[in-house]
Amino acid sequence: MLQTIRERKSLQLLGLMLPGGFWLILFFALPLALIFAISFMSRDDLSRPALPLTLANYQQTFDPLYINLFLFSVGLSLLTTLITLLIAFPVALFMARLPKRWRNIMTLLVMIPFWTNFLVRTYALQFLMRANGPINTLLLSVGLIDEPAQMLSTPFAVLVGLVYGELPFMILPLYTSLEKFDWSMIEAAQDLGANALKTLAHVMLPLTAPGILAGSILVFVPSVGSYITVELMGGGKINMIGRVIAQQFGQSSNWPFGSAISLLLMIVVTLAALVYFRIGRGERGAV
Amino acid sequence: MANDFAVELREVVKLYGTMAAVDHVSMSIRHNEFFSLLGPSGCGKTTCLRMIAGFERPTSGQILIDSRIMGLTPPFQRNVNTVFQSYALFPHMTVEQNVAFGLEMKGVARAEIARRVGEALALVRLPHLAKRYPKQMSGGQQQRVALARALVNRPKVLLLDEPLGALDLKLRKEMQIELKTLQRDVGITFIYVTHDQEEALTMSDRIAVMSHGKALQIGSPLEIYERPACKFVADFIGETNFLEGRVTAINGEFATLSVGAGQTFTGRRVNGLRVGDPATLSVRPEKMQLVEHPVDGAVNTYEVTVFSIAYVGSDTRVIINLGGQRLDVWEQNSTSTLNPDDYFFKPGEKAWLTFKPENALVLAQ
Ligand SMILES: Nc1ncnc2c1ncn2[C@@H]1O[C@H](COP(=O)(O)OP(=O)(O)OP(=O)(O)O)[C@@H](O)[C@H]1O
Ligand SMILES: [Mg+2]
């Protein structure tokens, strides 16, 4: 009797999970399995993935060229995350302190860029930073520089593009967590003798850690794998791991190698995120 | 020193928009005094505490702590600690860590912190919950953690905003005694907000009764109860009967008032009353007696009709009708009886009401 009830229960559960599970399999597990399979293949004469199976693709990723590219990508993405955090925290703080009505308006303003195509926005940014673009024109006319500054096609341009593109993804989780923040905590800390800095370190940051963690992941992960921004802002001169992957699936027609890098990147990023969350949680438990 | 007070408020005003949450409040709190702010919800008690703690800046007026004008001194530089009405415990810290926070900020040695945190938790009877997080505790337990977190710092002045509000009656009484003992023994100045008048009366050296942002009267529990300065205080503290009338005679400390259908009553007068002024007689239910036969020529003695009787153990609460006005009279049950007929006053029957002039107050309108 009990057995059948339990069976029915698990059947029900299965039924509930079916639709979600279906889409998950179709759009996540299946492509992933495909990539996994291809990453162990070699190429035929027409550059199509083919048998025999090989480990060569993975061996190739350990080429210093790709290791350096990977480190550069991670470094630039970490910098992007840090800068967005530094910009977004005051903004989110300001938003959370506004009266309720203004808060909703501000949230809307932060989300407005999403209504415009990302490509279009990046082109706009590219235009701004061009040799004869508005920024250079302005700097020249003010007399701060004598000749147009080379901004595009530098790591700086990519950084600006990434920060610009990812900023809302940092502001929104931070704002969500600051909006829930109980401001009497600050008063309690000050009452107990904590100055502004100590209040920030011991009370504010630990209590807003979930927002900081979420925002950082949301910014870091897409940054590491970013492609469009690198392509447009880097002007073909700056290479990052995402662009390498795109090239393998495009121009180079080396799907097996592209798949191998993709998988490795995914594994590394996932591991990093896990460690990051673990550290974040540890910090919240400590004083 | 001329004015050696722990905390002083001088003509302090706090406006929110155009509303005065605190309205020209002046009070001087002595060292080691148990000083209570008592008043109905919204009268400005919390706002007063917040200004003393430094979270709120007075719109005008001055606040002095230890004879030093506070002005813009930030909260963390004031030698006061607060027990917040909302507890404001840190949710990411255990009870122990919460209590240790203030000492850590001051850089107290680790061993000393552990010892004092242990003591503070023992005092509020929570040593067994030291490792819990605030979320995992009841409101009353959280309140006691808030108390321990403030007490552990041994501040000169402790600001307590209804610190026992969430406790059940028994624990509340116990904690009242603990707090009072601690305050006396350790020598901390307490500024204690409550709207429980019994709590204020039993614990305080002095009480400030507040209403609509004003401190209406500041005095010892005895003064507040026996000599309320105005109608609001008389009404808010304890029970009382009011009889409205007009002053017909002044005789030294006493004033005579004619009320309703020609009765006259005499009571202690407050300063400034003159013949012809409208005034209110305030007389507490326990300070009046019902008698079968009046003494000839006694003042404040009139025939009344008994309206209802309620036996409440220590006394019998009688509602009487005096010329159309209902008054409460509490007769102490000084003899033990099981027979209702032993009471000479019965609902619907006549009796005589009497009280001495020194037991009543004539207050300005
Ligand atoms: N930040 C604020 N902005 C506007 N009005 C406020 C603010 N804080 C308090 N008030 C108002 O000031 C008045 C006094 O508030 P306060 O919190 O001091 O009352 P209280 O005596 O502590 O009441 P309670 O017993 O309910 O805690 C109230 O009318 C309240 O609405
Ligand atoms: Mg209050």
Side-chain angles (χ1 to χ4, degrees), chain B residues 42 45-47 85 161-162 193:
Chain B
K45 306 180 294 286
T46 298
T47 308
Q85 191 167 14
D161 201 345
E162 309 207 14
V193 165

mmCIF file of all heavy atoms in Angstrom, chain B residues 42 45-47 85 161-162 193, ligand 2:
data_model
loop_
_atom_site.group_PDB
_atom_site.id
_atom_site.type_symbol
_atom_site.label_atom_id
_atom_site.label_comp_id
_atom_site.label_asym_id
_atom_site.label_seq_id
_atom_site.Cartn_x
_atom_site.Cartn_y
_atom_site.Cartn_z
ATOM 1 N N GLY B 42 3.614 57.286 19.499
ATOM 2 C CA GLY B 42 3.754 58.431 18.612
ATOM 3 C C GLY B 42 4.007 59.749 19.320
ATOM 4 O O GLY B 42 3.995 60.797 18.681
ATOM 5 N N LYS B 45 8.892 59.512 21.934
ATOM 6 C CA LYS B 45 9.874 58.883 22.828
ATOM 7 C C LYS B 45 11.085 58.387 22.040
ATOM 8 O O LYS B 45 12.228 58.702 22.365
ATOM 9 C CB LYS B 45 9.228 57.701 23.574
ATOM 10 C CG LYS B 45 7.946 58.042 24.313
ATOM 11 C CD LYS B 45 7.367 56.840 25.026
ATOM 12 C CE LYS B 45 6.881 55.730 24.113
ATOM 13 N NZ LYS B 45 5.618 56.022 23.409
ATOM 14 N N THR B 46 10.814 57.591 20.995
ATOM 15 C CA THR B 46 11.905 57.042 20.199
ATOM 16 C C THR B 46 12.722 58.170 19.568
ATOM 17 O O THR B 46 13.955 58.111 19.529
ATOM 18 C CB THR B 46 11.351 56.100 19.113
ATOM 19 O OG1 THR B 46 10.685 55.019 19.759
ATOM 20 C CG2 THR B 46 12.453 55.554 18.242
ATOM 21 N N THR B 47 12.048 59.197 19.093
ATOM 22 C CA THR B 47 12.755 60.321 18.476
ATOM 23 C C THR B 47 13.722 60.963 19.472
ATOM 24 O O THR B 47 14.852 61.300 19.118
ATOM 25 C CB THR B 47 11.737 61.352 17.945
ATOM 26 O OG1 THR B 47 10.794 60.674 17.115
ATOM 27 C CG2 THR B 47 12.428 62.432 17.137
ATOM 28 N N GLN B 85 14.188 49.455 19.612
ATOM 29 C CA GLN B 85 12.815 48.960 19.696
ATOM 30 C C GLN B 85 12.627 47.767 18.756
ATOM 31 O O GLN B 85 11.916 46.830 19.065
ATOM 32 C CB GLN B 85 11.853 50.097 19.326
ATOM 33 C CG GLN B 85 10.407 49.801 19.630
ATOM 34 C CD GLN B 85 9.536 51.049 19.561
ATOM 35 O OE1 GLN B 85 9.939 52.087 19.048
ATOM 36 N NE2 GLN B 85 8.333 50.954 20.081
ATOM 37 N N ASP B 161 14.824 51.317 24.358
ATOM 38 C CA ASP B 161 13.548 51.620 23.725
ATOM 39 C C ASP B 161 12.611 50.425 23.875
ATOM 40 O O ASP B 161 12.674 49.477 23.106
ATOM 41 C CB ASP B 161 13.765 51.962 22.251
ATOM 42 C CG ASP B 161 12.597 52.755 21.683
ATOM 43 O OD1 ASP B 161 11.538 52.779 22.336
ATOM 44 O OD2 ASP B 161 12.751 53.337 20.597
ATOM 45 N N GLU B 162 11.781 50.467 24.871
ATOM 46 C CA GLU B 162 10.862 49.387 25.197
ATOM 47 C C GLU B 162 11.568 48.036 25.180
ATOM 48 O O GLU B 162 11.200 47.142 24.421
ATOM 49 C CB GLU B 162 9.683 49.381 24.219
ATOM 50 C CG GLU B 162 9.066 50.754 24.122
ATOM 51 C CD GLU B 162 7.604 50.732 23.748
ATOM 52 O OE1 GLU B 162 6.984 49.663 23.814
ATOM 53 O OE2 GLU B 162 7.086 51.800 23.412
ATOM 54 N N VAL B 193 12.584 53.915 27.669
ATOM 55 C CA VAL B 193 11.306 54.240 27.036
ATOM 56 C C VAL B 193 10.324 53.104 27.271
ATOM 57 O O VAL B 193 10.659 51.937 27.114
ATOM 58 C CB VAL B 193 11.478 54.459 25.519
ATOM 59 C CG1 VAL B 193 10.136 54.442 24.813
ATOM 60 C CG2 VAL B 193 12.194 55.764 25.255
HETATM 61 MG MG MG C 2 9.030 54.243 19.771
#
